[in-house]
């Protein structure tokens, strides 16, 4: 028993001495962590030359993790480095490989330099990067694509689950400039895409739902809302391993995707997009190239960044180009932050690029407005003018604004250190917010002047109805609820065209001038081709919408739009057929009796009332009730009149006192008018949900 107690005491003392020795080693050598570059890794430690325990030199032993796992303690050793140097560089490492390493120093300076005589720190790990080249460039593009796809998926999921509410917010909160700014801010904050908000706004102006002045406020708010992405990226994206959080979000999203309820599936899609956005951001952080402070590329950027105004303008242009390529200011700003976080782009150059990215994002709205009316083009132009004017005055104030922002950061954003790079990303988010907020506060008082300037720069060329052009629904970004509004407005235009065809056919009944008749026949033929193309384009558009995540209500509206489009195209075919019948009648010198002409004109009057009611129903918002009873009453009157005329037609044939040639044409025309009535009532029934 005494021996056993002595043994336990001796073992305990030895272990305590060993732990104390290890603790002292940890106190002497405190790691800062590895700096991983493309071709080497720098291991640094804290230097305390006043410490009496400070060693003379440091050695690092290292090897690949897989080697240590398979072969045991097989190490490679670095050349010794003076302790006062504070760092040691490991070269000729395998790319994309996990390594284990330890720092060591001699227990006593006089001992032989063998591993047993060294005190080693605890094992640490690092993973080398792939060298910069074609493969890694593809990885960078892939990471950027994943980020964009995640943002797109998240936006589609949110608008599918809350699209109607988002639209109601946009319509109700544009009564004045302040509420317009607030609605644009909230909508962009939810959708995480200023491009989506601006395209929606252009669509609303195109549809006549809001005015140019109201759209200006929304555009300003969208610019403020897009700064939220920068804060998310700067506070989360470059501080923590967000891939872990992305997997947790996917774990929540996956069950929602398999639920029966559409709203749950939509939120599952939104969460999946959010997770993919995070994963793309994580990959982006890993794949952007890193350069040392002394590299030629970094020195070139710094040299241009130091040019007072010209340098800023150059980086503004670079920001515009990047945004035009990726078609998203949020993505461009994220990419800029990623380069800034690795020290490739200095703080002041990155801030200038952010200004350019604010200008570049206006391209999406401009492209969306190309196929819109003059008001849509002017709305997009207001957004462009707002961003350009803001960038112009900030270009000269950047040297004064950035140092002020730097005073509120935890580290110097201009320093080439990890802390400095982290502070720079937060500084960029702050600069983006300060710039957009200040620009809104300055220019919100000049909205009337912006509207006048946009009106002068985008002049109206008049309405050309004789050429085919989808006026509302060829936008760059599809947001399902807003896209449905655009398709509905295209149907209103479609219905208006068929109503004009009806009026032309009616005039042909009484027109005697052959030149006027020829002109009307040509116009009806051209309109018929337009209706054919419109039906195809609307069907293709609805097919694209159907591939998106839609609510049950939105899916029903897509089916109704397809049904309406098909009936309107058939209505155009009916009027074109009637025009051809009248053309053959004139060519054959066939004449109607006064009674026949009066009966057809009376039936045309009923058709015109039915068409007017149909257009009125088409123009109504989905929240308004469709007057289906009046539409059905007109349809009954048309059927009754057709039956009466048919009965009279047959009776006269049987009497033998009838012109068969004019009677045949007459019968074709009133039968065609009844068919037109069938298509018209089908449109109103589809609008009322009776399909």
């Amino acid at each position: 028993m005494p021996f056993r107690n002595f043994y336990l005491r001796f073992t305990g003392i030895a272990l305590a001495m060993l732990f104390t020795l290890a603790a002292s080693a940890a106190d002497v050598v405190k790691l800062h962590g590895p700096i991983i570059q493309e071709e080497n890794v720098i291991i640094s430690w804290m230097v305390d030359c006043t410490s009496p325990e400070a060693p003379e030199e440091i050695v690092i032993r290292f090897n690949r993790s897989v080697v240590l796992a398979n072969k045991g303690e097989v190490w490679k050793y670095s050349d010794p480095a003076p302790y006062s140097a504070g760092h040691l560089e490991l070269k000729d490492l395998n790319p994309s490989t996990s390594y284990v390493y330890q720092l060591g120093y001699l227990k006593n300076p006089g001992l032989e330099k063998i591993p047993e005589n060294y005190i080693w720190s605890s094992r640490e790990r690092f993973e080398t990067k792939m060298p910069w080249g074609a493969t890694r460039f593809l990885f960078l593009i892939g990471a950027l694509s994943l980020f964009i796809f995640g943002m797109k998926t998240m936006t589609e999921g949110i608008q599918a689950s809350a699209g109607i509410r988002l639209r109601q917010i946009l319509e109700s909160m544009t009564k004045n400039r302040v509420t317009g700014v607030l609605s644009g801010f909230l909508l962009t904050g939810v959708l995480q895409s200023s491009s989506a908000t601006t395209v929606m706004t252009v669509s609303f102006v195109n549809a006549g739902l809001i005015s140019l002045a109201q759209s200006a406020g929304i555009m300003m708010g969208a610019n403020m809302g897009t700064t939220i992405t920068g804060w998310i990226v700067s506070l989360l994206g470059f501080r923590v391993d967000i891939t872990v959080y992305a997997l947790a979000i996917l774990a929540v999203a996956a069950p929602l995707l398999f639920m029966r309820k559409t709203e749950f599936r939509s939120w599952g899609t939104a969460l999946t997009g959010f997770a993919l956005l995070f994963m793309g951001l994580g990959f982006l952080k890993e794949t952007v190239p890193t350069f040392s402070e002394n590299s030629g590329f970094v020195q070139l950027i710094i040299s241009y960044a130091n040019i007072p105004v010209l340098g800023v303008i150059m980086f503004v242009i670079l920001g515009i180009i990047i945004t035009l390529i990726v078609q998203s200011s949020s993505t461009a700003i994220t990419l800029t932050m990623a380069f800034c976080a690795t020290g490739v782009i200095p703080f002041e150059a990155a801030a200038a690029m952010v200004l350019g990215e604010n200008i570049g994002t206006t391209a999406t709205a401009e492209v969306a407005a190309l196929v819109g009316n003059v008001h849509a083009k002017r709305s997009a132009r207001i957004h462009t003018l707002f961003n350009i004017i803001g960038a112009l005055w900030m270009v000269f104030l950047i040297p004064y604004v950035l140092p002020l922002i730097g005073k509120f950061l935890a580290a110097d954003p201009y320093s080439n250190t990890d802390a400095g790079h982290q502070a720079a990303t937060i500084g960029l988010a702050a600069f983006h917010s300060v710039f957009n907020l200040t620009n809104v506060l300055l220019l919100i008082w000049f909205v009337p002047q912006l509207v006048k300037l946009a009106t002068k720069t985008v002049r109206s060329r008049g309405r050309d109805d004789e050429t085919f052009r989808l006026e509302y629904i060829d936008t760059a970004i599809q947001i399902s609820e807003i896209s449905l509004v655009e398709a509905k407005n295209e149907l209103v235009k479609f219905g208006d065209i068929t109503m004009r065809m009806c009026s032309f056919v009616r005039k042909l009944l009484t027109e005697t001038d052959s030149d006027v008749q020829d002109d009307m026949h040509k116009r009806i033929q051209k309109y018929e081709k337009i209706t054919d193309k419109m039906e195809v384009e609307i069907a293709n558009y609805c097919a694209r919408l159907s591939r998106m995540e839609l609510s049950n209500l939105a899916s029903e509206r897509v089916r109704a739009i397809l049904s309406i489009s098909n009936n309107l195209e058939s209505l155009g075919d009916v009027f074109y057929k009637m025009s051809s019948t009248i053309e053959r009648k004139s060519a054959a010198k066939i004449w109607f009796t006064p009674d026949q002409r009066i009966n057809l004109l009376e039936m045309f009057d009923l058709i015109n009332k039915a068409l007017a009611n149909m257009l009125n129903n088409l123009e109504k918002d989905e929240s308004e009730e469709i007057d289906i009873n009046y539409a059905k009453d007109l349809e009954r009157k048309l059927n009754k009149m057709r039956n009466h005329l048919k009965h009279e037609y047959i009776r006269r044939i049987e009497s033998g006192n009838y012109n068969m040639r004019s009677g045949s044409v007459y019968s074709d025309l009133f039968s065609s008018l009844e068919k037109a009535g069938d298509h018209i009532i089908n449109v109103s029934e589809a609008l009322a949900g009776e399909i």
Side-chain angles (χ1 to χ4, degrees):
M1 289 295 288
F3 176 77
R4 182 182 178 185
N5 289 339
F6 172 77
Y7 174 76
L8 291 174
R9 284 184 180 181
F10 178 80
T11 305
I13 292 171
L15 288 173
M17 290 178 65
L18 182 61
F19 288 141
T20 303
L21 188 61
S24 65
D27 290 338
V28 172
V29 183
K30 294 184 178 180
L31 284 170
H32 276 168
I35 300 175
I36 302 172
Q37 299 177 349
E38 274 70 24
E39 298 177 355
N40 53 34
V41 174
I42 299 175
I43 309 294
S44 58
W45 56 86
M46 186 181 295
V47 176
D48 184 5
C49 296
T50 62
S51 172
E53 300 178 352
E56 293 181 357
E57 58 185 24
I58 297 293
V59 172
I60 297 178
R61 64 180 184 182
F62 62 97
N63 212 334
R64 290 178 292 161
S65 302
V66 64
V67 172
L68 294 176
N70 294 332
K71 297 183 180 180
E73 300 295 315
V74 179
W75 296 98
K76 296 179 180 179
Y77 293 86
S78 69
D79 294 330
Y83 170 76
S84 58
H87 69 277
L88 197 154
E89 186 174 5
L90 302 179
K91 298 182 178 180
D92 300 326
L93 302 175
N94 293 338
S96 302
T97 305
S98 177
Y99 279 86
V100 175
Y101 71 96
Q102 291 178 290
L103 271 69
Y105 60 89
L106 284 172
K107 300 175 183 177
N108 294 306
L111 294 176
E112 183 181 358
K113 294 181 179 180
I114 56 176
E116 291 77 10
N117 291 334
Y118 278 79
I119 297 175
W120 299 101
S121 66
S122 59
R123 294 189 178 190
E124 302 290 343
R125 293 177 180 272
F126 65 80
E127 187 169 342
T128 56
K129 293 184 178 182
M130 179 178 292
W132 185 250
T135 304
R136 190 166 170 191
F137 177 74
L138 290 176
F139 285 176
L140 176 62
I141 298 300
L144 193 61
S145 301
L146 184 62
F147 180 87
I148 295 172
F149 179 70
M151 183 174 293
K152 178 179 180 292
T153 304
M154 181 183 68
T155 300
E156 288 181 353
I158 291 174
Q159 60 81 28
S161 57
I164 294 177
R165 290 189 289 274
L166 292 176
R167 181 187 163 199
Q168 289 172 346
I169 289 173
L170 194 60
E171 287 181 330
S172 62
M173 294 186 64
T174 55
K175 296 178 181 178
N176 57 59
R177 301 173 200 173
V178 176
T179 57
V181 170
L182 182 60
S183 64
F185 173 77
L186 292 175
L187 197 58
T188 306
V190 171
L191 294 178
Q192 281 298 291
S193 173
S194 62
S195 296
T197 302
T198 53
V199 170
M200 288 166 63
T201 305
V202 168
S203 302
F204 269 55
V205 174
N206 197 48
L209 298 176
I210 58 176
S211 66
L212 278 177
Q214 289 172 325
S215 73
I218 300 172
M219 299 290 193
M220 293 178 180
N223 276 26
M224 292 173 56
T226 195
T227 62
I228 295 175
T229 305
W231 283 109
I232 292 174
V233 171
S234 63
L235 294 177
L236 296 178
F238 299 113
R239 287 193 166 200
V240 296
D241 184 7
I242 56 177
T243 308
V244 177
Y245 296 97
L247 293 175
I249 295 171
L250 280 176
V252 176
L256 296 176
L257 293 172
F258 296 98
M259 290 188 176
R260 291 185 178 181
K261 198 170 182 180
T262 305
E263 187 175 356
F264 287 142
R265 293 203 305 270
S266 299
W267 282 115
T269 301
L271 288 173
T272 301
F274 194 55
L276 292 175
L277 186 148
F278 266 28
M279 293 176 70
L281 188 59
F283 289 133
L284 193 63
K285 181 177 66 174
E286 295 297 323
T287 54
V288 292
T290 55
F291 299 95
S292 65
E293 186 178 5
N294 297 323
S295 67
F297 181 72
V298 173
Q299 288 298 317
L300 178 65
I301 290 180
I302 292 174
S303 64
Y304 281 111
N306 291 331
I307 302 174
V309 176
L310 182 60
V312 174
I313 293 175
M314 288 180 61
F315 285 105
V316 168
I317 295 172
L318 179 60
I320 294 173
I321 294 171
I322 292 175
T323 311
L324 290 176
I325 293 172
V326 300
Q327 281 296 296
S328 168
S329 62
S330 297
T331 305
I333 290 170
T334 300
L335 188 61
T336 302
M337 285 183 170
F339 279 106
C340 194
T342 56
V344 176
I345 301 175
F347 180 45
E348 59 274 24
M353 289 176 64
V354 167
L355 290 181
E357 285 150 3
N358 265 271
I359 297 175
T361 192
T362 63
T364 304
E366 291 280 4
V367 171
L370 286 176
V371 293
N373 57 31
V374 67
H375 303 294
K377 292 181 175 69
R378 288 170 180 171
S379 177
R381 187 59 49 84
I382 289 174
H383 186 217
T384 303
L385 291 171
F386 172 75
N387 283 12
I388 290 176
I389 292 171
L392 286 176
W393 63 260
M394 182 53 80
V395 162
F396 298 96
L397 295 182
I398 274 187
Y400 308 100
V401 174
L402 294 184
L404 288 176
I405 293 174
K407 291 181 179 180
F408 295 94
L409 301 176
D412 182 11
Y414 295 94
S415 63
N416 191 29
T417 62
D418 288 341
H421 297 159
Q422 186 63 53
T425 59
I426 298 175
L428 284 179
F431 170 74
H432 193 204
S433 298
V434 168
F435 162 65
N436 279 299
L437 178 60
T438 307
N439 201 29
V440 168
L441 293 176
L442 285 175
L443 295 183
I444 195 172
W445 309 106
F446 298 96
V447 168
Q449 287 76 15
L450 285 173
V451 171
K452 288 181 181 178
L453 187 57
T455 304
K456 288 183 179 179
T457 55
V458 182
R459 296 190 177 277
S460 176
R461 296 182 179 178
R463 184 174 180 179
D464 184 8
D465 291 317
E466 299 301 318
T467 58
F468 169 67
R469 180 170 63 92
L470 284 180
E471 192 172 350
Y472 300 99
I473 66 171
D474 198 345
T475 54
I477 293 180
Q478 292 177 359
I479 307 297
S480 65
E481 296 297 337
I482 307 304
S483 297
L484 291 172
V485 174
E486 295 168 345
K488 180 81 173 293
N489 287 315
E490 200 67 54
L491 291 178
V492 174
K493 179 184 175 183
F494 203 162
D496 182 62
I497 290 174
T498 58
M499 194 168 186
R500 289 182 207 175
M501 292 179 73
C502 179
S503 67
F504 292 152
V505 176
R506 191 182 191 280
K507 286 182 180 179
L508 283 173
L509 284 176
T510 57
E511 183 60 52
T512 57
D513 190 321
S514 60
D515 291 336
V516 175
Q517 286 180 343
D518 289 341
D519 180 63
M520 285 185 179
H521 286 308
K522 289 178 181 178
R523 295 186 73 182
I524 292 172
Q525 185 179 22
K526 185 173 290 186
Y527 270 51
E528 196 274 334
K529 291 180 180 178
I530 290 175
T531 59
D532 288 344
K533 291 179 181 178
M534 289 185 74
E535 195 266 340
V536 171
E537 290 298 324
I538 291 173
N540 291 337
Y541 188 72
C542 288
R544 291 197 296 271
L545 285 180
S546 300
R547 290 194 288 269
M548 300 168 63
E549 190 71 26
L550 299 175
S551 64
N552 289 332
L553 178 60
S555 297
E556 291 174 4
R557 289 168 64 192
V558 168
R559 289 196 295 271
I561 288 169
L562 285 170
S563 174
I564 293 168
S565 176
N566 181 262
N567 277 286
L568 290 175
E569 191 275 333
S570 298
L571 192 58
D573 289 343
V574 169
F575 290 134
Y576 175 66
K577 179 185 175 184
M578 293 179 69
S579 169
S580 300
T581 300
I582 295 173
E583 187 177 21
R584 290 196 303 272
K585 168 184 129 355
S586 299
K589 305 296 182 180
I590 298 173
W591 310 107
F592 287 146
T593 66
D595 287 343
Q596 288 175 331
R597 187 173 292 106
I598 290 172
N599 289 334
L600 289 174
L601 291 176
E602 286 180 1
M603 205 166 184
F604 264 110
D605 290 339
L606 286 174
I607 287 290
N608 283 332
K609 290 179 181 178
L611 282 169
N613 180 66
M614 180 194 75
L615 279 177
N616 183 52
N617 289 334
L618 278 171
E619 290 170 352
K620 287 182 178 180
D621 191 81
E622 64 270 8
S623 60
E624 297 182 67
E625 187 176 353
I626 302 299
D627 189 3
I628 191 66
N629 292 326
Y630 179 57
K632 289 182 177 179
D633 182 56
L634 289 171
E635 167 65 7
R636 284 192 292 268
K637 289 181 179 179
L638 279 167
N639 289 339
K640 184 178 179 180
M641 189 168 186
R642 188 278 312 264
N643 292 336
H644 172 70
L645 296 180
K646 185 176 181 181
H647 177 74
E648 285 293 317
Y649 170 66
I650 294 173
R651 186 180 62 80
R652 291 192 177 188
I653 290 177
E654 291 175 347
S655 67
N657 185 21
Y658 198 65
N659 186 329
M660 291 299 298
R661 296 177 67 192
S662 66
S664 176
V665 174
Y666 175 61
S667 175
D668 285 344
L669 289 178
F670 68 68
S671 297
S672 294
L673 285 172
E674 192 276 331
K675 288 181 182 178
D678 290 341
H679 293 302
I680 293 170
I681 189 62
N682 288 343
V683 171
S684 292
E685 287 177 341
L687 289 169
E690 298 181 8
I691 57 171

